[in-house]
Amino acid sequence: MTEQLSTQKAINTALREILADDAKSLVFGEDVGKLGGVFRVTDGLQTEFGAHRVIDTPLAESGILGMAAGLAMAGHRPIPEVQFDGFAYPAMNQIISQIARTNYRSRGATPMQMVLRIPSYGGIRAPELHGESIEATLAHVPGLKVVSPSNPHQAYHLLRRAHEMPDPVMFMEPKSRYWNRGDVDFENPGDLEGSLVAREGEDLTIIAWGAMVARSLEVAELAAEDDVSIEVVDARWLKPLDEDGLVASVAKTGRAVIVHEAPRTAGLGAEIGQLLTERLWGKLEAPVERVTGYDVPTPAGDLEDEYIPSIDRILFGVQRSLEY
Amino acid sequence: MPVPPSSAAQPAQLWPPQNGVTVDVETLRGLAERMLVTRVLDTEAVRWQRQGILPAFPPAIGQEAAQVGSAMALDRARDMAFITYRDHGVVVGLDSDLTDYMGSHLALWNGGFADPNKVRHSPLQAVVGATALHAMGWAYAQKLDGTGGAAIAYFGDGASSQGDVHEAMNFAAVSKSPVVFFVQNNGWSLSTPLDLQVAGGSVAARASGYSMPSMRIDGDDVGEVYAATQIALEHAREHGPVVIEAFTYRRGPHATSDDPSRYRSLEEERALGPDPIDVARQLVADEAWWAEAEQRAEQAVDAVRVQMQSPRTIDGNDMFDYVFQEKTPQLVKQQEQWREETDLD
């Protein structure tokens, strides 16, 4: 069955099915119950599954994640939410020193099976610390897995997949895409491992994730008008990165532009660029280009468009690569 | 807006119990015996550190009654202890394998070798206070599952300053989760004394802010600790969280690398009350039994020493194998490279 849904509704549907199928699953966080979350992603779940399984927690992110760790130790499979990306910072002690290494510390005896949902990235003119791109920070921590869907179909299926995984998964939802609709094919998830070619092309590969996938697809459409054939790869899994998939695309096109909202220095663009250089040394037609946020705190709404890679900035990146 | 009437209910008064405390002789002997093992282990471990067997060790000398007394009050079939790094008395009190536990201090594996689900205590770890939240989440799970189990969260006066402890107390009180917050107020957080650490001097006083009962007890009297923890656990199972503040004293240094003479005087150390081991000896009141128990404790710790010295090596593969349940391809590659580059044959 295929249905047209927004990403927000697709995640809501996945959560509803998980709660129905898995008695050990719980959804909790700030305002996720009665209100249904500030983005209404958890709308209706408390009514359906009860306040004991869909919990409005006190306002304390470390508490939310520490509670998740304790639940996982007891064999439950929590799906906590931090309300906004920047609110993951107060929870970093629990994420980094506890959740990421409890499996290690206990030599595998107490796995931390959980999915932390993080409404992520910018693009909605939100206040400070409501538009952070923290994927590299999380990917750097041993013991965590990181995934970021780009559309409703991916959001639905990747969340269900993440919930089945025995390790802690950081699920980064592109909040600027919550309301964009798309087909969700419930029966045919497609391959949920690794990256995905979102558009095929011959001349150059753009690697992106989250909200930057849709923007890169627009860039590819514009470039096609100038007879430039761009392949867009949705990285999806940021840890582990799909090394073979990313390399295969760039081996074909010879050119790569990596697009992310996060600051450039020590961002995942650097990691992917290093991967491509290592695996495709001598075969690249041009140096790997990066189009990213700047090394500045995510600016206030009025400057957001200067910060987040725009279609024009991505086109400049494409041009630099093609003209090298 | 007018000030609403205060809705905070007066928390239950759990301590002291109306009929006093009586602990039977058999239980007292079990407690005393494990206190002796803890004391001998601590004394010996400091020697092992001086001999170069252990890189460092944080002795719990003086806290045996608080740790053993509370741990033995737990129901091992359904309860769970969440510990940090100075809780060997809890480990002994739960009859957890000491060689497995000492694997952490031997620098073989951070957290030791025990399976928490079997030994009923979490691995030891260094970020104090963080485990109070794990206790809360674990306890909430027991409530959901209807096991009747309760969690006990161990921390000290120093850790009580951590935000996580307050978040745990509030979460537990709001959700009425079965948690006993067991504070060992030992007077010192490394070199920082209580008056610089805890405003007002009592961690238990904070419980009222979270509408939960608190008990201030003599942490050096093992009978009192055992009885108080039993009362707290039963209350927690039925009604929700309780704070126990056990007053005790860290009679040794923070760790073998520490020099307490830089921050406290011998006069202060001499002015302490009776050693909890002597208190236990008086409670047991059987010198013949005591002498035998001392011997058994020496033998038990000697067995640990022998096991520790028979060369137990750690496989470097473990470093890679326990990061995830499902290893990433990157980690597989790094492990292969590590094997190739360290294979000197």
Side-chain angles (χ1 to χ4, degrees), chain A residues 52 62-63 103 107 145 167, chain B residues 140 164 167 318 322 325-326:
Chain A
H52 61 297
S62 191
N103 186 71
R107 297 173 65 80
K145 292 179 178 172
D167 295 302
Chain B
Y140 185 78
D164 275 2
E167 294 186 19
D318 289 6
Y322 292 116
Q325 291 279 319
E326 288 174 355

Side-chain angles (χ1 to χ4, degrees), chain A residues 24 26 51-52 55 57-58 60 62-64 66-67 69-71 73-74 76 93-94 97-98 103-111 142-145 166-167 240-241 243 279, chain B residues 82 109-117 123-125 127 130 133-134 136-138 140-142 144-145 164 167 170-171 174 314 318-319 322-326 328-330 333:
Chain A
K24 290 284 188 184
L26 305 95
H52 61 297
I55 309 157
T57 66
S62 191
I64 293 167
M67 175 179 168
L71 280 160
M73 285 177 196
H76 285 250
N93 173 38
Q94 287 294 338
S97 344
Q98 306 301 331
N103 186 71
Y104 196 67
R105 195 181 281 146
S106 68
R107 297 173 65 80
T110 48
L144 301 179
K145 292 179 178 172
D167 295 302
L241 277 172
E243 299 194 356
R279 297 271 298 269
Chain B
F82 292 81
W109 191 261
N110 293 327
F113 292 92
D115 177 342
N117 298 310
L124 85 167
Q125 59 115 0
V127 180
L133 279 165
H134 306 164
M136 181 270 143
W138 189 90
Y140 185 78
Q142 306 316 303
L144 281 182
D145 296 346
D164 275 2
E167 294 186 19
N170 188 44
F171 273 48
V174 165
I314 188 84
D318 289 6
M319 169 167 75
Y322 292 116
V323 181
F324 295 105
Q325 291 279 319
E326 288 174 355
T328 63
Q330 283 80 356
K333 250 197 254 177

Side-chain angles (χ1 to χ4, degrees), chain A residues 15-86:
Chain A
L15 289 172
R16 177 171 284 107
E17 292 176 9
I18 290 167
L19 284 164
D21 293 351
D22 179 4
K24 290 284 188 184
S25 62
L26 305 95
V27 168
F28 53 95
E30 294 157 14
D31 311 299
V32 302
K34 261 198 175 140
L35 179 71
V38 292
F39 294 105
R40 307 293 181 267
V41 170
T42 52
D43 187 36
L45 300 181
Q46 193 183 64
T47 313
E48 199 168 335
F49 298 100
H52 61 297
R53 287 185 67 203
V54 181
I55 309 157
D56 280 321
T57 66
L59 198 166
E61 287 79 10
S62 191
I64 293 167
L65 272 296
M67 175 179 168
L71 280 160
M73 285 177 196
H76 285 250
R77 287 177 284 275
I79 312 175
E81 173 189 295
V82 290
Q83 199 162 67
F84 288 90
D85 34 57

